Amino acid sequence: MRVWFLSAGLALMCMVQNAAAGTVLIVGDSISAAFGLDTRQGWVSLLDQRLKAEGFDDKVVNASISGDTSAGGLARLPTLLAAHKPDLVILELGGNDGLRGQPPTQLQQNLAAMIDSSRASGAKVLLLGMQLPPNYGRRYTEAFARVYSTLAEEKNVPLVPFFLKDVGGIPGMMQGDGLHPSVAAQGKLLENVWPALKPLL
């Protein structure tokens, strides 16, 4: 009888643990897709390792696609939400919108819709902000950067102001194309995200 109670107790603990475990869905572009690297070296894989090391049972689903824009992410999101039922959605999009010179207002509308859809599904949202190099012109780069801070304020959503802080433009932290973070930068990307992410788990 004692063995039965122990077995039942262990089973109950596992059920509670599984019930508490959540899903973190990352919808991003080449930076989160670890372009040019083995995906096991990317910051998303490092996040998965960090969660396990710190005792979190959350499952990480990386739905990032190289070259994706905010419009592409918005189109993909309903299917992703239905399939994975995430507890937390991390939005890492916008860089390709900016590099293609698309209107910041459109970027803002797309990200706002993604935030609303994610929340409507019951998920929390973390927004990763991006910035453009100065050669795109001061007016455009400032308007682009304001998209993220404006959304964070209007939607009351946690924000990492600049995902590539201490990475972008720094020797050794970028690949030869100057656009994608190197292996050496992946740990820093995770450190940029972790303080805002951890309280949402």
Side-chain angles (χ1 to χ4, degrees):
M1 181 67 75
R2 185 178 179 184
V3 173
W4 184 88
F5 278 121
L6 286 172
S7 299
L10 287 171
L12 183 60
M13 286 174 62
C14 289
M15 289 173 64
V16 170
Q17 201 170 36
N18 288 336
T23 297
V24 178
L25 174 66
I26 300 172
V27 186
D29 52 33
S30 57
I31 298 175
S32 294
F35 178 87
L37 309 175
D38 184 322
T39 55
R40 293 171 295 183
Q41 299 173 315
W43 81 270
V44 176
S45 181
L46 297 181
L47 169 62
D48 190 41
Q49 295 171 34
R50 171 73 65 86
L51 290 174
K52 288 180 173 63
E54 299 209 6
F56 292 100
D57 295 318
D58 299 77
K59 174 184 177 182
V60 177
V61 176
N62 191 359
S64 302
I65 297 178
S66 293
D68 206 9
T69 62
S70 62
L74 178 59
R76 295 191 294 121
L77 187 61
T79 300
L80 293 171
L81 293 175
H84 301 291
K85 297 178 175 54
D87 300 272
L88 172 62
V89 176
I90 300 177
L91 299 178
E92 183 271 302
L93 288 168
N96 289 312
D97 297 61
L99 294 176
R100 298 175 187 182
Q102 296 179 359
T105 52
Q106 187 61 56
L107 169 61
Q108 185 168 331
Q109 290 171 11
N110 291 339
L111 291 176
M114 294 183 76
I115 292 169
D116 292 342
S117 295
S118 298
R119 283 179 164 170
S121 76
K124 300 175 183 177
V125 178
L126 174 62
L127 184 62
L128 306 189
M130 295 297 295
Q131 296 178 16
L132 295 176
N135 57 296
Y136 278 78
R138 180 177 176 180
R139 182 178 178 182
Y140 184 75
T141 56
E142 289 182 352
F144 180 89
R146 277 198 304 271
V147 166
Y148 298 94
S149 57
T150 298
L151 282 172
E153 183 175 353
E154 291 183 351
K155 299 291 184 180
N156 192 29
V157 63
L159 170 69
V160 174
F162 184 31
F163 182 36
L164 296 182
K165 181 183 177 183
D166 298 327
V167 171
I170 296 180
M173 301 297 267
M174 302 297 286
Q175 296 182 42
D177 60 9
L179 295 173
H180 298 97
S182 65
V183 172
Q186 301 305 309
K188 180 57 184 174
L189 293 179
L190 175 58
E191 294 308 320
N192 287 344
V193 174
W194 184 249
L197 190 159
K198 187 175 182 179
L200 301 176
L201 297 172

